[in-house]
Amino acid sequence: MSDQGFSLLTSIGPDTSPRKHLEMIQQEIKKYKATCEQLENDQTELKVARDNLLEITKQFKMRSATVQQRRQEEEQLKASQVNLHKERLVSVQAEHAELCRESEALQNELDRMEEENQELRLQTQVSTAVPEKKMVFTGVTAVEGCSSSFDVKPRILYPIEGGTALITFEEEDVAQKVLEIKFHKIKLGECYITVEARPVQLLVPSDIEVETHVCDKRILISDLPKIGMEDQLLDKLEIYFQKKRNGGGDVDMTEMLPDSGNVVVTFVEDTIAKGLTSKEYHDIKMFDKMYRVKVTPFLNGEIKHLKARTSVSKKTVQLVGIPDILDEENLQDNLEIHFQKPSSGGGEVDAFVYIPLGKKAVGIFEEDTSSE
């Protein structure tokens, strides 16, 4: 049964018969046959087990490949999700940064508005820096819907060079006629001079924006009595507001506003004015009598926006090229007489000023209310 063969080795005694010996050999053969069958069965089982192991190995490899592929897909999905989350994070961070900038801008705007609101609240606490005036209806009406506003009367300073004159006529037509003639020949005794008439161009404000704030060192005093000299009144006020028992302090200066007759008191320190204005009315003894005056905060104004335009005076004409051949008074009289004559293209003269060569002056132009 093998390449080397085999032999049956039995222990046979001398007294064993051949028959008995054959039976023993047959038994040995059966025994070895059973062993061979068992080995064949074991071999078959081993083969089946091997095939099973191969199948299991194959299935394991297939499952391993599937798991590997699934793991790769999961890693790719995970990487894709990570990239997506990174992009979302970058977007969220950018949005957060933008919101922070907007929040900062809004906070800055809020702070600015709060400052403006604080300034407005401060101004509303001021009763008014404009003295009280008695108001009466004069019968003049305006178109319905007109917004409330303040009218500012212009007061324009116009430089006048030497050798020129300004002449204002009562009628606009006369001024326009003088300008149309332009060159005027004027007789002065036995000689003649020629002067040129030019329009007066004024630079006037058309739009102005003024920002106001309360001055910490100044107060405005109104409702003052019309008594005594200006210097005496200022001295009395300075004495009163210098006394600490009156809530005052060291006074830097006092000045009277010529257009309103009110007085501005300026203190050295910036802590005095607020206390005085909180009381508003003060009883001051002046000229052996008590007078109640009104003390309000003084508003400083700062021009934030100014838009100007050129305006031509309709009644005023400038004369240039006037030689200095007579004394100032005689020359002015001759010029005024000439332009009063209708034959010379002139008319009634409302104002006339002549500035000789070598001198300069400033003309003051105000609003013309004669036609209203």
Side-chain angles (χ1 to χ4, degrees):
M1 293 184 62
S2 65
D3 293 340
Q4 295 177 353
F6 68 92
S7 62
L8 298 175
L9 298 177
T10 59
S11 59
I12 303 174
D15 296 333
T16 304
S17 65
R19 184 179 179 82
K20 185 70 171 176
H21 180 69
L22 181 61
E23 289 178 352
M24 291 176 66
I25 292 173
Q26 289 178 345
Q27 288 177 356
E28 288 290 333
I29 291 173
K30 288 180 179 180
K31 180 179 177 182
Y32 282 109
K33 187 176 179 180
T35 301
C36 182
E37 288 178 352
Q38 182 65 38
L39 290 173
E40 288 178 351
N41 290 334
D42 291 342
Q43 185 178 8
T44 300
E45 290 178 357
L46 289 172
K47 185 178 180 181
V48 172
R50 185 196 66 182
D51 292 340
N52 289 336
L53 288 174
L54 290 174
E55 181 65 24
I56 291 173
T57 302
K58 181 180 179 181
Q59 292 180 0
F60 177 77
K61 288 182 178 180
M62 292 177 61
R63 290 178 61 186
S64 177
T66 302
V67 171
Q68 182 69 17
Q69 182 179 359
R70 187 179 301 168
R71 186 176 67 83
Q72 291 178 354
E73 292 177 352
E74 288 178 353
E75 288 180 351
Q76 292 177 356
L77 178 61
K78 183 179 179 181
S80 176
Q81 290 179 345
V82 169
N83 292 333
L84 180 61
H85 288 316
K86 286 182 178 180
E87 292 177 357
R88 288 180 178 176
L89 180 60
V90 172
S91 176
V92 169
Q93 289 176 342
E95 185 177 357
H96 180 263
E98 181 65 22
L99 288 175
C100 287
R101 287 192 293 270
E102 291 181 0
S103 176
E104 184 179 359
L106 289 174
Q107 185 62 42
N108 293 336
E109 180 66 16
L110 183 62
D111 293 342
R112 185 189 65 80
M113 294 179 65
E114 180 63 25
E115 290 179 1
E116 291 184 357
N117 190 29
Q118 180 66 23
E119 183 69 21
L120 290 175
R121 283 200 299 266
L122 183 61
Q123 292 189 16
T124 55
Q125 293 173 0
V126 180
S127 58
T128 177
V130 179
E132 295 181 358
K133 299 290 185 180
K134 294 182 179 180
M135 308 302 293
V136 63
F137 177 61
T138 61
V140 179
T141 61
V143 179
E144 183 179 0
C146 291
S147 60
S148 299
S149 62
F150 289 100
D151 290 330
V152 179
K153 292 184 178 181
R155 188 171 184 267
I156 302 172
L157 304 182
Y158 186 83
I160 308 174
E161 298 293 333
T164 64
L166 290 180
I167 179 170
T168 300
F169 296 96
E170 292 184 358
E171 302 294 335
E172 295 180 7
D173 295 342
V174 176
Q176 296 305 314
K177 188 175 181 180
V178 169
L179 289 173
E180 289 175 1
I181 297 174
K182 194 173 183 179
F183 293 102
H184 296 262
K185 189 175 182 180
I186 304 172
K187 183 178 181 180
L188 298 178
E190 297 180 355
C191 63
Y192 291 87
I193 63 171
T194 301
V195 298
E196 180 183 356
R198 294 180 182 177
V200 177
Q201 295 183 342
L202 305 173
L203 195 63
V204 297
S206 60
D207 185 14
I208 183 170
E209 179 181 345
V210 180
E211 181 178 291
T212 62
H213 62 274
V214 177
C215 181
D216 296 330
K217 292 186 176 182
R218 295 177 178 177
I219 58 173
L220 181 69
I221 306 173
S222 57
D223 296 349
L224 291 168
K226 307 295 183 181
I227 57 174
M229 301 293 292
E230 178 180 329
D231 293 341
Q232 294 175 333
L233 181 62
L234 295 178
D235 290 340
K236 295 291 185 182
L237 293 174
E238 183 172 347
I239 292 172
Y240 176 84
F241 287 107
Q242 271 192 338
K243 293 180 179 180
K244 293 188 180 297
R245 67 182 182 184
N246 297 328
D250 292 339
V251 174
D252 184 27
M253 64 179 297
T254 56
E255 58 180 327
M256 180 171 287
L257 302 179
D259 55 344
S260 62
N262 298 325
V263 173
V264 178
V265 178
T266 304
F267 296 96
V268 176
E269 299 177 0
D270 58 3
T271 58
I272 306 300
K274 187 174 181 180
L276 291 171
T277 56
S278 62
K279 185 178 178 181
E280 190 171 2
Y281 289 100
H282 292 254
D283 294 322
I284 303 177
K285 186 176 181 179
M286 294 182 289
F287 309 106
D288 298 327
K289 187 177 180 181
M290 297 298 294
Y291 294 93
R292 172 162 290 191
V293 299
K294 186 176 182 181
V295 178
T296 54
F298 183 85
L299 297 180
N300 281 338
E302 181 181 357
I303 296 177
K304 289 295 184 180
H305 173 75
L306 175 61
K307 187 176 181 181
R309 61 180 177 84
T310 302
S311 176
V312 178
S313 178
K314 295 181 179 180
K315 293 184 178 181
T316 303
V317 175
Q318 183 181 30
L319 304 177
V320 300
I322 303 175
D324 189 11
I325 59 175
L326 293 176
D327 62 87
E328 181 178 345
E329 185 177 355
N330 286 334
L331 185 54
Q332 177 168 326
D333 291 341
N334 280 275
L335 291 172
E336 187 172 353
I337 291 171
H338 173 84
F339 284 101
Q340 280 184 338
K341 296 178 179 179
S343 59
S344 302
E348 291 295 330
V349 174
D350 187 38
F352 190 97
V353 59
Y354 160 67
I355 305 300
L357 289 172
K359 294 184 179 180
K360 291 183 179 181
V362 176
I364 301 175
F365 283 78
E366 298 180 346
E367 183 180 7
D368 183 13
T369 59
S370 60
S371 58
E372 296 180 357

